[in-house]
Amino acid sequence: MRRTYRKGAVIFLDGDDAGDVLLIQSGQIKLTVSSQDGREVLLGVRGAGEIIGEMALIDSSPRSASAFALTTPTDVLVIAVRDFKRLVDTEFGFTRGLLDEMVRKVRDSTMHQLELGLDDVAGRVARRLNELGKRFGVHQDDGSLAFKSPITQQELADWSGVSRQAVVKELARLREMGWLETKGSFMQIHNPDGIAQRAARLSGL
């Protein structure tokens, strides 16, 4: 079954019972959790070809995060729990792809925990820009990556675990260096290799 969402629509909420898995066909979805003080914390952005909601089905637990559409339209393919389990049990290629995706998510989560304890603002923002560029960037003739960011500066700050003011300052520094160009939600990374190299290094190590 296919579903289409508009920007801002709730796809599922933290604590909901999990009855299906969603395969994103187009658009972007953000995953969030709420902190104890009620602040929304951005866990990540998922795009076309990625699957969400599978963790809750595998261990039969409630949803551990909330999901919201970032774009209009956002199209998803809904896989019911019985069909998902059948695919896992009978389709080796599907199961291997699912395992690869889960390993990637665990590694991303581990790196995020490390950066919160060890990395500075420059490293955290570089890591988010590098991921956005890889996911949504279009290669230009001059070697840069251009894309329309699906998230706001506040969401970028929440994702990085820093204040919005710190993100604004870091983006300004990158613009002064000539590494980045921004105009509204449009971003163009002029030095993707430099951003990637900074993203790969934790300042505290």
Side-chain angles (χ1 to χ4, degrees):
M1 182 174 63
R2 288 176 171 81
R3 292 178 188 160
T4 298
Y5 296 93
R6 297 182 61 83
K7 181 178 180 179
V10 177
I11 297 173
F12 56 73
L13 294 174
D14 182 8
D16 284 352
D17 290 334
D20 48 42
V21 169
L22 305 178
L23 176 64
I24 305 170
Q25 295 189 298
S26 67
Q28 290 93 40
I29 292 173
K30 69 174 181 179
L31 300 175
T32 71
V33 294
S34 295
S35 63
Q36 291 184 345
D37 60 5
R39 184 170 56 89
E40 183 182 87
V41 178
L42 183 65
L43 297 178
V45 177
R46 302 289 183 258
E50 296 186 89
I51 193 169
I52 61 172
E54 77 284 1
M55 300 286 285
L57 289 190
I58 289 173
D59 63 2
S60 301
S61 62
R63 303 289 192 193
S64 58
S66 300
F68 302 90
L70 282 173
T71 54
T72 300
T74 294
D75 297 310
V76 301
L77 182 66
V78 182
I79 306 173
V81 58
R82 63 181 181 278
D83 296 321
F84 175 76
K85 291 182 176 180
R86 177 180 57 79
L87 286 170
V88 171
D89 290 339
T90 63
E91 298 292 336
F92 173 77
F94 178 85
T95 305
R96 178 56 189 267
L98 181 64
L99 287 173
D100 289 344
E101 177 69 7
M102 292 180 68
V103 167
R104 184 187 66 80
K105 289 179 179 179
V106 169
R107 285 177 174 169
D108 287 348
S109 177
T110 300
M111 175 59 74
H112 193 55
Q113 292 298 318
L114 283 172
E115 74 178 39
L116 290 177
L118 298 172
D119 217 355
D120 56 13
V121 172
R124 298 184 192 187
V125 173
R127 202 161 289 112
R128 302 291 86 78
L129 291 176
N130 184 57
E131 183 166 346
L132 289 171
K134 288 194 297 184
R135 287 176 178 273
F136 310 117
V138 177
H139 288 276
Q140 306 298 299
D141 292 339
D142 61 0
S144 65
L145 284 174
F147 59 95
K148 182 178 181 181
S149 176
I151 61 175
T152 65
Q153 285 188 348
Q154 183 60 61
E155 289 171 327
L156 179 60
D158 292 340
W159 194 8
S160 304
V162 298
S163 68
R164 183 176 182 275
Q165 291 78 7
V167 165
V168 169
K169 184 177 180 181
E170 179 57 23
L171 294 179
R173 187 182 73 87
L174 292 172
R175 287 194 297 268
E176 291 174 1
M177 293 170 58
W179 284 25
L180 180 69
E181 179 182 348
T182 62
K183 187 176 182 180
S185 61
F186 172 82
M187 288 189 172
Q188 188 164 2
I189 301 175
H190 290 289
N191 187 356
D193 289 340
I195 292 289
Q197 289 172 9
R198 182 61 187 87
R201 176 172 55 87
L202 288 171
S203 62
L205 295 178

